Amino acid sequence: MPADAQKNIGLIRNRTDRLSSHLSALLDYARAGQIEGEHGAFSLTHFADELRLYFNSNPEFEIKVEQDCGPFGAYLTPLKTILINLVSNASKHHDRSSGTIRISSELYPNYVEITVADDGPGIPKQYQEQIFVLFQTLKSRDEVEGSGLGLALVQKLARSLGGSVSVVSNPEVARGTVFTVRIPLNSKSKKPLNDTQGLAA
């Protein structure tokens, strides 16, 4: 088969796989507001072991637990989905063949705060709102595989738990991006948690 034909078939296969993944991601997104399900104790250290197994196809990326506040009560499926998507996003959009992803958790009186920090190229400030919009990616899908749903799903899940997600990055000053997820403790409120809520408690 000519090289051009092989290339075209490869593109068709990649785009078919992408469509399948895209439809699956759409279904996940549609279900994201439904947080009924398993509620239990969540340990960041134990879940980091699961993350390492989940991403063992890319052993060049190290997942480190910088701080673990200890087990806390949470809806496990949405919280794990949030973290898997954030770690996947950090690995997928890294500009080097190896890197380090640091995760930490801190407990406050009314909420828990979890951060996922990478040492990638960073996200320019003008794009930091765009990344949470459905179907938006900062690179061509032929360059980086993705449905454009990952961070939109993260935001929807965090909000469905009454929490929030934010991003800090300034590639003009330093490499890296930090995502911070705040989830209220013992709450199924639909009201997002703002920066001051709980700090005065």
Side-chain angles (χ1 to χ4, degrees):
M1 188 179 291
D4 287 347
Q6 291 181 19
K7 181 180 178 181
N8 288 334
I9 289 175
L11 286 173
I12 291 170
R13 285 176 176 169
N14 286 339
R15 288 170 181 172
T16 301
D17 289 343
R18 183 187 305 149
L19 178 60
S20 177
S21 176
H22 181 75
L23 292 173
S24 177
L26 272 173
L27 183 60
D28 288 342
Y29 186 82
R31 292 172 172 169
Q34 303 172 22
I35 64 171
E36 297 293 340
E38 185 183 4
H39 188 281
F42 177 85
S43 165
L44 189 62
T45 298
H46 290 162
F47 187 60
D49 292 335
E50 293 184 39
L51 285 172
R52 293 183 188 104
L53 291 174
Y54 189 87
F55 293 101
N56 64 359
S57 60
N58 192 354
E60 299 302 318
F61 282 86
E62 184 179 7
I63 299 174
K64 288 186 174 181
V65 178
E66 296 276 281
Q67 176 179 314
D68 186 350
C69 67
F72 59 87
Y75 286 92
L76 301 180
T77 298
L79 181 55
K80 289 181 178 182
T81 303
I82 286 170
L83 295 178
I84 288 171
N85 274 278
L86 288 177
V87 173
S88 174
N89 187 74
S91 172
K92 186 185 302 178
H93 295 284
H94 207 288
D95 59 343
R96 296 175 180 172
S97 59
S98 63
T100 302
I101 300 169
R102 294 177 169 83
I103 56 178
S104 65
S105 62
E106 188 166 356
L107 201 60
Y108 293 90
N110 296 331
Y111 65 91
V112 63
E113 184 174 277
I114 302 175
T115 59
V116 177
D118 65 61
D119 55 359
I123 303 171
K125 290 186 176 180
Q126 65 266 34
Y127 299 124
Q128 289 177 14
E129 291 186 11
Q130 177 183 332
I131 61 174
F132 294 107
V133 178
L134 278 171
F135 311 120
Q136 293 295 312
T137 60
L138 301 186
K139 292 183 179 180
S140 163
R141 287 184 173 88
D142 286 325
E143 184 179 355
V144 175
E145 277 297 329
S147 63
L149 282 170
L151 292 177
L153 178 61
V154 165
Q155 186 179 69
K156 184 173 182 179
L157 283 169
R159 288 178 173 175
S160 75
L161 294 169
S164 64
V165 57
S166 60
V167 59
V168 174
S169 184
N170 189 354
E172 294 182 2
V173 176
R175 290 177 60 82
T177 300
V178 180
F179 284 93
T180 301
V181 180
R182 286 184 173 184
I183 304 295
L185 295 172
N186 303 319
S187 172
K188 290 171 58 177
S189 169
K190 297 287 185 179
K191 183 179 180 181
L193 185 69
N194 61 38
D195 289 340
T196 59
Q197 221 175 337
L199 294 179

